[in-house]
Amino acid sequence: YKIKKAGDISYIYQFIYIFGCTFTNIYAISLGLWPIFVPCLIEQILIMMLTVMKYVYDKEEARNIMLLKEEGPTLHSVESTPIKASEEDSDVEAANVSNSNNN
């Protein structure tokens, strides 16, 4: 909940889990097994909430990635900003090279 990322949770796993809970609930209701139906219904509600949270967080993460791509490099992204040498730096470097050759 703190980092709001759900990349480790698979939609396939969640849908299979919901499918299993649904059929367990149908079976429990048909036989009147209330001690099985009630906890499984709670479990099914929670997995559905988890699926909705994953959808929302995945959508939010994709939106944040698109915003970062549109912004371009920032002060915080040091490795993505190209460093250009100024003309003064290249003049100083050339002078140092010629001085070392004279010695």
Side-chain angles (χ1 to χ4, degrees):
Y1 176 75
K2 289 182 180 182
I3 60 172
K4 296 184 180 181
K5 289 189 177 186
D8 295 338
I9 302 171
S10 166
Y11 281 117
I12 294 171
Y13 165 77
Q14 289 180 306
F15 291 130
I16 290 171
Y17 201 103
I18 291 169
F19 183 76
C21 283
T22 301
F23 281 101
T24 302
N25 285 334
I26 291 170
Y27 175 75
I29 287 174
S30 67
L31 295 179
L33 302 172
W34 293 102
I36 292 175
F37 172 72
V38 173
C40 194
L41 181 64
I42 293 169
E43 191 174 358
Q44 188 171 7
I45 290 169
L46 292 175
I47 193 69
M48 287 180 181
M49 287 174 52
L50 184 65
T51 304
V52 169
M53 289 172 62
K54 176 177 173 46
Y55 175 77
V56 169
Y57 291 153
D58 284 350
K59 190 174 177 181
E60 184 178 319
E61 186 176 359
R63 185 182 57 117
N64 288 339
I65 290 172
M66 290 300 293
L67 288 175
L68 286 175
K69 285 183 180 179
E70 289 174 3
E71 265 182 30
T74 62
L75 294 175
H76 301 290
S77 59
V78 176
E79 53 276 341
S80 66
T81 55
I83 299 173
K84 291 185 176 180
S86 66
E87 290 180 19
E88 291 177 6
D89 291 341
S90 57
D91 291 341
V92 170
E93 187 177 322
N96 288 338
V97 169
S98 64
N99 285 340
S100 64
N101 288 338
N102 291 336
N103 293 335

Short mmCIF file of all heavy atoms in Angstrom, two decimals, residues 87-103:
data_model
loop_
_atom_site.label_atom_id
_atom_site.label_comp_id
_atom_site.label_asym_id
_atom_site.label_seq_id
_atom_site.Cartn_x
_atom_site.Cartn_y
_atom_site.Cartn_z
N GLU A 87 34.32 25.53 -24.60
CA GLU A 87 35.50 25.83 -25.42
C GLU A 87 36.70 26.11 -24.53
O GLU A 87 37.83 25.76 -24.88
CB GLU A 87 35.21 27.03 -26.32
CG GLU A 87 34.23 26.72 -27.42
CD GLU A 87 33.97 27.93 -28.29
OE1 GLU A 87 34.79 28.88 -28.29
OE2 GLU A 87 32.96 27.93 -29.00
N GLU A 88 36.46 26.72 -23.37
CA GLU A 88 37.57 27.01 -22.45
C GLU A 88 38.22 25.72 -21.97
O GLU A 88 39.44 25.63 -21.88
CB GLU A 88 37.08 27.82 -21.26
CG GLU A 88 36.66 29.23 -21.60
CD GLU A 88 36.12 29.96 -20.39
OE1 GLU A 88 36.18 29.41 -19.27
OE2 GLU A 88 35.63 31.09 -20.56
N ASP A 89 37.39 24.70 -21.67
CA ASP A 89 37.94 23.42 -21.21
C ASP A 89 38.80 22.78 -22.28
O ASP A 89 39.87 22.23 -21.99
CB ASP A 89 36.81 22.46 -20.82
CG ASP A 89 36.08 22.90 -19.56
OD1 ASP A 89 36.65 23.71 -18.80
OD2 ASP A 89 34.94 22.45 -19.34
N SER A 90 38.35 22.84 -23.53
CA SER A 90 39.13 22.21 -24.60
C SER A 90 40.42 23.01 -24.85
O SER A 90 41.46 22.43 -25.17
CB SER A 90 38.31 22.08 -25.88
OG SER A 90 37.84 23.36 -26.28
N ASP A 91 40.42 24.35 -24.68
CA ASP A 91 41.62 25.17 -24.83
C ASP A 91 42.62 24.84 -23.73
O ASP A 91 43.82 24.71 -23.99
CB ASP A 91 41.28 26.66 -24.79
CG ASP A 91 40.50 27.12 -26.02
OD1 ASP A 91 40.55 26.38 -27.04
OD2 ASP A 91 39.86 28.18 -25.94
N VAL A 92 42.13 24.68 -22.51
CA VAL A 92 43.01 24.34 -21.39
C VAL A 92 43.61 22.97 -21.58
O VAL A 92 44.79 22.74 -21.36
CB VAL A 92 42.24 24.42 -20.04
CG1 VAL A 92 43.06 23.84 -18.90
CG2 VAL A 92 41.83 25.86 -19.75
N GLU A 93 42.79 22.01 -22.05
CA GLU A 93 43.28 20.66 -22.28
C GLU A 93 44.33 20.65 -23.39
O GLU A 93 45.35 19.98 -23.28
CB GLU A 93 42.11 19.74 -22.65
CG GLU A 93 42.50 18.29 -22.75
CD GLU A 93 41.31 17.41 -23.04
OE1 GLU A 93 40.22 17.67 -22.50
OE2 GLU A 93 41.50 16.45 -23.82
N ALA A 94 44.11 21.41 -24.46
CA ALA A 94 45.08 21.49 -25.56
C ALA A 94 46.39 22.10 -25.07
O ALA A 94 47.48 21.66 -25.45
CB ALA A 94 44.50 22.31 -26.71
N ALA A 95 46.31 23.11 -24.20
CA ALA A 95 47.52 23.73 -23.66
C ALA A 95 48.27 22.75 -22.78
O ALA A 95 49.50 22.69 -22.82
CB ALA A 95 47.16 24.99 -22.87
N ASN A 96 47.57 21.95 -22.01
CA ASN A 96 48.21 20.96 -21.15
C ASN A 96 48.91 19.89 -21.97
O ASN A 96 50.00 19.44 -21.63
CB ASN A 96 47.20 20.30 -20.21
CG ASN A 96 46.75 21.24 -19.11
OD1 ASN A 96 47.43 22.20 -18.78
ND2 ASN A 96 45.60 20.93 -18.53
N VAL A 97 48.30 19.48 -23.08
CA VAL A 97 48.89 18.46 -23.94
C VAL A 97 50.17 19.02 -24.59
O VAL A 97 51.21 18.36 -24.64
CB VAL A 97 47.89 17.98 -25.00
CG1 VAL A 97 48.57 17.14 -26.06
CG2 VAL A 97 46.74 17.24 -24.36
N SER A 98 50.12 20.26 -25.05
CA SER A 98 51.31 20.85 -25.72
C SER A 98 52.41 21.08 -24.70
O SER A 98 53.59 20.93 -25.02
CB SER A 98 50.94 22.14 -26.44
OG SER A 98 50.50 23.11 -25.50
N ASN A 99 52.09 21.42 -23.45
CA ASN A 99 53.12 21.60 -22.42
C ASN A 99 53.78 20.28 -22.06
O ASN A 99 54.97 20.23 -21.83
CB ASN A 99 52.52 22.23 -21.15
CG ASN A 99 52.24 23.72 -21.32
OD1 ASN A 99 52.83 24.34 -22.21
ND2 ASN A 99 51.35 24.24 -20.50
N SER A 100 52.99 19.20 -22.05
CA SER A 100 53.58 17.90 -21.70
C SER A 100 54.46 17.40 -22.84
O SER A 100 55.42 16.68 -22.62
CB SER A 100 52.50 16.90 -21.36
OG SER A 100 51.69 16.65 -22.48
N ASN A 101 54.18 17.77 -24.08
CA ASN A 101 55.00 17.37 -25.22
C ASN A 101 56.32 18.12 -25.22
O ASN A 101 57.34 17.60 -25.68
CB ASN A 101 54.26 17.60 -26.54
CG ASN A 101 53.13 16.61 -26.74
OD1 ASN A 101 53.14 15.53 -26.14
ND2 ASN A 101 52.17 16.96 -27.57
N ASN A 102 56.33 19.37 -24.74
CA ASN A 102 57.55 20.16 -24.72
C ASN A 102 58.52 19.67 -23.66
O ASN A 102 59.71 19.87 -23.77
CB ASN A 102 57.22 21.65 -24.45
CG ASN A 102 56.51 22.28 -25.62
OD1 ASN A 102 56.63 21.81 -26.74
ND2 ASN A 102 55.77 23.34 -25.36
N ASN A 103 58.02 19.05 -22.61
CA ASN A 103 58.90 18.56 -21.53
C ASN A 103 59.52 17.30 -21.93
O ASN A 103 60.18 16.60 -22.14
CB ASN A 103 58.13 18.36 -20.24
CG ASN A 103 57.65 19.70 -19.66
OD1 ASN A 103 58.24 20.73 -19.94
ND2 ASN A 103 56.58 19.62 -18.91
#
